[in-house]
Amino acid sequence: MTVSSEVSVAGPFYGNGSTRTFPYAFKILDARHIRAVLISASGDVSDLSLDNGDYSVTGIGSETGGDVIKATPLLAGQTLTLVRRLPLTQETSLENQGAYYPEVVERRLDQMVMQIQSVKEATERSLTVEPGQEKPSMTQIAAAEGYAQGAKQSRDEASQFSSDAAGRVEEAFQAAGLSERWASAPENQEVVPGSGQYSALHQAKKAEAAKDSVIAGWSAAVRNAPLKATPSMADEFGFADSGDSWTIKKQTFAKLQEVFGLPIGGVMMMPGNGNNPPAGFLLMNGAPCTPAYPQLRAWLLANGASTNGEGDPIIEDMGGYFPRGWRPGQLVDSGRVFGAVQQDALQNITGELSQAPSISTTATGAFARGAGNGTGDVGRGSNNGESLSFSASRVARTAMETRPVNKTFSYWIKAYAADQAPGSADFTSLANKVQSVLTRLSALEADAPFISTPQTVIGSGIVVVEHSLGKFPSWITLDFVNMQTEGGYSPGDVVNVAPSLPDNYGGHGITVSKTRINIMIIFSSGGVYFNQKIGGAPYLINPAKWQMIVRAKG
């Protein structure tokens, strides 16, 4: 036997609430030659008792050591250190002329070396001075012990800070992933399944749809709102005040006009004398559009309006004019130039008069007989003839122009966006809603501290997800999110799948394995079966049409 190593300490070992076996790599001659030192989370030091069954020892006499097996798991926050410690006695007796047993002598030598190593191990943890230096006083020793304890505490705090920093990094990664989902999760897919909250992309698409629905549903909304008996210009569109009606301000309507109504350059006509322009409009009276209206000015210049000597585009004068449609290359009224004025005209009226010999002329309708006795006979050379005249006024209403029956209106062109009145937004209500969303999000994060990013669903094999909980998850759940319709499920539908063992026949199903770091989702070779959304018949899912979100709690 030999003692070929100076190692006489194993550990410290850190508790996790489950481990009971702790190895040592040095030789001992008896189970009592190991001292098991336990340090609690608060720093209290105690020895485990072999006699009381606190632990047992294997590998006695082995050159490579063995294991100390604790009766109960080492708890989180506790540490265990194994130290070889022999009694400082010598019980071997050699007599004169007695028998010589080399193994007895070698065992005693090994034990002496081990005793020396035990003393050395203790000395190395002690306060010493160099030869010739003054021995330290008890006050100095106590102070040194305090320094050592402070260093140990600082070491433990540094270790905790390092662990906390690692946790913050993981939290930052999780927050980054959550932020990405808040920004870009698809329409109608909840950012956190079951939360009822959706992403900015979802809200943008809904806003676009809302714009279209506002235009389509505007007339129905107005029709359903009760009206006041005698509305005035100060009323909210003449709607009666009630809990079932919209409270719509004129400023809100102006903003809706800006967003959903006429664009700059759009034209509308209104009954009125033209003295009271609607908000955002100018009268079409042939006046120049000055730089005071930059939006309309730019639009007119870009759309072929004529200009004055100062370069200002001229707003068309619609006083007295009927509008007529125009486009390049038109066939009806072809040859027209954009913006040209066309004078009034009457479709040509033609006719003919004839007179039979010896018969007097008869005049009707728009024709009339003039001077003469009507007895002349052109064929006989008589000089006593008569004249005929034509006037449409004898049978129709006439004027200096040709026109249909009409009524005067004033024409207005959109020049600028009418400003919304300040203070019309309810910021208090908006702030309360934001705070409500934040509160709900905090509650969700506390209930489910780990939520993975969407994972790929595969036909068979293993998907590994790092959960960063720092311990074994106490529960795990899988949410499958539909991305493309199948089995009656629509995009955004969520199916909660409980991990289960594969069946005995087709090899279908999912098994979940976990460590302190990773969650392993094992897909069976036969794939995964769901029940159809309607009817409940089982069917084999297409992995490409689903994504998986893993949730876990420590």
Side-chain angles (χ1 to χ4, degrees), residues 284-303:
M284 300 187 69
N285 58 1
C289 183
T290 68
Y293 306 101
Q295 293 173 294
L296 178 60
R297 178 184 173 87
W299 187 90
L300 290 172
L301 291 174
N303 285 274

Side-chain angles (χ1 to χ4, degrees), residues 164-233:
D164 291 346
R168 296 295 182 270
V169 170
E170 294 298 334
E171 290 174 2
F173 277 119
Q174 292 182 31
L178 185 61
S179 297
E180 182 179 359
R181 294 200 297 277
W182 276 113
S184 59
E187 185 179 7
N188 295 328
Q189 177 179 320
E190 294 171 320
V191 175
V192 179
S195 68
Q197 303 298 322
Y198 297 89
S199 68
L201 177 63
H202 166 94
Q203 303 297 349
K205 289 182 177 292
K206 290 301 182 184
E208 182 70 20
K211 180 195 74 173
D212 297 335
S213 67
V214 165
I215 297 173
W218 182 261
S219 60
V222 173
R223 181 178 67 250
N224 293 337
L227 301 179
K228 288 185 177 179
T230 55
S232 66
M233 288 301 292

Side-chain angles (χ1 to χ4, degrees), residues 518-532:
N518 295 322
I519 297 173
M520 287 76 72
I521 300 94
I522 307 166
F523 292 85
S524 299
S525 59
V528 178
Y529 269 80
F530 283 179
N531 291 331
Q532 293 183 358

Side-chain angles (χ1 to χ4, degrees), residues 140-352:
Q140 292 172 323
I141 292 174
E145 183 179 5
Y147 298 151
Q149 186 64 28
K152 177 179 179 298
Q153 183 177 352
S154 297
R155 178 204 65 189
D156 294 341
E157 290 175 352
S159 176
Q160 184 61 46
F161 293 154
S162 176
S163 176
D164 291 346
R168 296 295 182 270
V169 170
E170 294 298 334
E171 290 174 2
F173 277 119
Q174 292 182 31
L178 185 61
S179 297
E180 182 179 359
R181 294 200 297 277
W182 276 113
S184 59
E187 185 179 7
N188 295 328
Q189 177 179 320
E190 294 171 320
V191 175
V192 179
S195 68
Q197 303 298 322
Y198 297 89
S199 68
L201 177 63
H202 166 94
Q203 303 297 349
K205 289 182 177 292
K206 290 301 182 184
E208 182 70 20
K211 180 195 74 173
D212 297 335
S213 67
V214 165
I215 297 173
W218 182 261
S219 60
V222 173
R223 181 178 67 250
N224 293 337
L227 301 179
K228 288 185 177 179
T230 55
S232 66
M233 288 301 292
D235 290 328
E236 299 162 358
F237 300 107
F239 293 164
D241 296 328
S242 72
D244 297 329
S245 300
W246 289 2
T247 304
I248 307 175
K249 302 289 186 182
K250 287 193 294 183
Q251 291 86 349
T252 304
F253 184 72
K255 198 66 177 178
L256 288 173
Q257 278 190 318
E258 175 188 341
V259 178
F260 306 133
L262 284 175
I264 299 299
V267 175
M268 71 173 182
M269 66 178 187
M270 297 184 68
N273 56 17
N275 293 330
N276 298 297
F281 288 81
L282 296 176
L283 184 65
M284 300 187 69
N285 58 1
C289 183
T290 68
Y293 306 101
Q295 293 173 294
L296 178 60
R297 178 184 173 87
W299 187 90
L300 290 172
L301 291 174
N303 285 274
S306 59
T307 58
N308 62 10
E310 299 181 1
D312 295 325
I314 303 300
I315 299 173
E316 291 290 341
D317 184 0
M318 289 300 296
Y321 289 99
F322 290 97
R324 186 167 189 173
W326 179 89
R327 65 170 178 81
Q330 64 189 29
L331 299 179
V332 177
D333 193 25
S334 60
R336 291 289 300 278
V337 178
F338 173 71
V341 176
Q342 189 179 56
Q343 295 299 324
D344 59 290
L346 177 68
Q347 192 171 11
N348 189 24
I349 299 175
T350 61
E352 182 178 335

Side-chain angles (χ1 to χ4, degrees), residues 495-524:
V495 177
N496 183 265
V497 178
S500 60
L501 294 175
D503 62 42
N504 295 326
Y505 299 100
H508 308 113
I510 301 172
T511 301
V512 172
S513 177
K514 59 188 179 181
T515 69
R516 287 192 297 270
I517 298 175
N518 295 322
I519 297 173
M520 287 76 72
I521 300 94
I522 307 166
F523 292 85
S524 299

